[in-house]
Amino acid sequence: MDFETLEWRIQEGIGVIVFNRSHALNAFTNTMLKELRQVVEAAAKDDTVRVLVLTGNGRGFSAGQDLKEHLANNGALNIGEHLRQYYNPLMERLYHMEKPTVAAINGVAAGAGMSLALAADFRIASDTARFVQAFVRIGLVPDSGSTYLLPLLVGRARAMELAMLGDTIDAKTALAYGLVNRVVASDALMEEVMTFSRALARQAPKALGLIKRGIHRGPEHGFDEALAYEVFLQATAASTEDHAEGVRAFMEKRTPRFTGH
Ligand code: LHQ
């Protein structure tokens, strides 16, 4: 697959999407949003992709909506329609993808660029990364999932502060807030992300997809419902060949070889 605004490669079972509009800090244009959706859908369906990584070229992860394109198109498409048509389907596909997703945050993540990072399962940030809920700075509200994911990750008080003041926080603060999993030296970012992703790629793929479903469902439902849902998820996991292989490998004192079946 060839793209105008992205690079895409599969390496050792890890799909890597690289945003490639570095002159605009990888701000999202309509073309880029369409291409992102296409590549995320392809990655979700491709069994050779065990883990999906998202990162950016240059000094930005993504600055969110390309405001120059937005200004040029103003009137042609209202914001609500823009979100429904471009952002929401992308975010839904990324969030619900039944394989692990890792945002490798190489630089500034602003507005919907930050929302996209929040929709991944893991965030590994370079020490040069910055985060800004830029929406309020232009009189807008957080979109693309931030009103839901930000308070889940950092708690309501901090989410309110970030969303209402629109201040920029650095990687160290993001780690203290629980917004990112790890902070690493900028020149080691992709190496660390690949090591982390290889560890995920060695696990049983169906189990990871089911774990994600269980954890996603968790907070909106009560404990008793979680117990009942775990019964369904576990029965599904237990019916896989990978489960049988995992038990066999344990008995034989060897590393399991998981195939995704
Ligand atoms: C940009 C952008 C950008 C274009 C930097 N667009 N060029 C959804 C639906 C519909 C409409 C509205 O929005 C949404 C959701 C959203 O995402 S709303 C939020 C949109 N994003 C923003 O408001 C962030 C705007 N950018 C910034 O505040 C700063 O650029 C940040 C804090 C990200 C980085 O600051 P600096 O490191 O100081 O970089 P810079 O401002 O100098 O930017 C570098 C270049 O990138 C510059 O271009 P130039 O030609 O002057 O070198 C910027 O114009 C361009 N750029 N963000 N969103």
Side-chain angles (χ1 to χ4, degrees):
M1 290 189 290
D2 276 341
F3 299 103
E4 198 182 302
T5 64
L6 311 170
E7 292 166 14
W8 167 241
R9 57 177 184 267
I10 305 173
Q11 222 175 303
E12 301 171 82
I14 300 157
V16 182
I17 300 173
V18 187
F19 310 143
N20 199 20
R21 298 191 69 245
S22 59
H23 60 283
L25 301 178
N26 300 314
F28 300 135
T29 56
N30 290 356
T31 302
M32 185 166 169
L33 291 163
K34 263 192 256 173
E35 290 187 340
L36 262 172
R37 178 171 163 185
Q38 197 186 335
V39 74
V40 165
E41 277 174 1
K45 284 192 205 127
D46 185 341
D47 287 342
T48 69
V49 176
R50 296 250 183 131
V51 180
L52 181 66
V53 171
L54 302 112
T55 193
N57 269 337
R59 67 177 186 88
F61 176 74
S62 169
Q65 170 64 36
D66 188 303
L67 294 175
K68 292 168 191 166
E69 184 178 89
H70 180 65
L71 205 62
N73 289 348
N74 211 3
L77 199 61
N78 71 45
I79 288 194
E81 191 46 36
H82 196 197
L83 290 175
R84 268 196 295 271
Q85 195 176 325
Y86 290 97
Y87 283 90
N88 292 0
L90 166 65
M91 297 299 166
E92 279 166 14
R93 277 163 181 79
L94 182 65
Y95 183 76
H96 291 296
M97 179 183 284
E98 292 209 356
K99 45 185 94 175
T101 54
V102 184
I105 303 152
N106 53 299
V108 68
M114 179 165 170
S115 301
L116 186 94
L118 301 185
D121 300 320
F122 305 95
R123 277 155 297 286
I124 301 186
S126 138
D127 53 12
T128 58
R130 290 175 291 152
F131 298 86
V132 51
Q133 286 277 304
F135 310 93
V136 72
R137 293 187 182 186
I138 53 169
L140 292 180
V141 304
D143 62 28
S144 306
S146 268
T147 59
Y148 177 84
L149 292 168
L150 192 61
L152 264 183
L153 287 163
V154 304
R156 272 192 191 200
R158 282 171 171 158
M160 289 286 187
E161 189 176 329
L162 292 172
M164 290 197 184
L165 292 181
D167 286 339
T168 303
I169 58 167
D170 62 13
K172 209 169 129 212
T173 308
L175 184 66
Y177 279 13
L179 196 63
V180 300
N181 296 72
R182 296 176 190 195
V183 177
V184 302
S186 63
D187 57 1
L189 176 67
M190 283 318 283
E191 196 183 311
E192 297 276 351
V193 166
M194 291 307 278
T195 303
F196 184 83
S197 301
R198 274 194 292 272
L200 289 167
R202 284 193 291 272
Q203 309 287 14
K206 289 229 164 84
L208 297 193
L210 292 164
I211 288 171
K212 189 161 166 174
R213 274 163 73 174
I215 290 182
H216 274 183
R217 198 168 190 272
E220 295 120 82
H221 299 267
F223 183 68
D224 296 355
E225 275 177 281
L227 291 176
Y229 194 53
E230 284 170 5
V231 171
F232 159 71
L233 294 173
Q234 196 64 296
T236 311
S239 68
T240 61
E241 283 171 27
D242 279 345
H243 167 57
E245 162 63 7
V247 175
R248 248 187 340 259
F250 172 76
M251 301 306 275
E252 295 166 11
K253 297 190 187 295
R254 62 171 174 81
T255 306
R257 282 179 299 272
F258 293 124
T259 62
H261 297 290

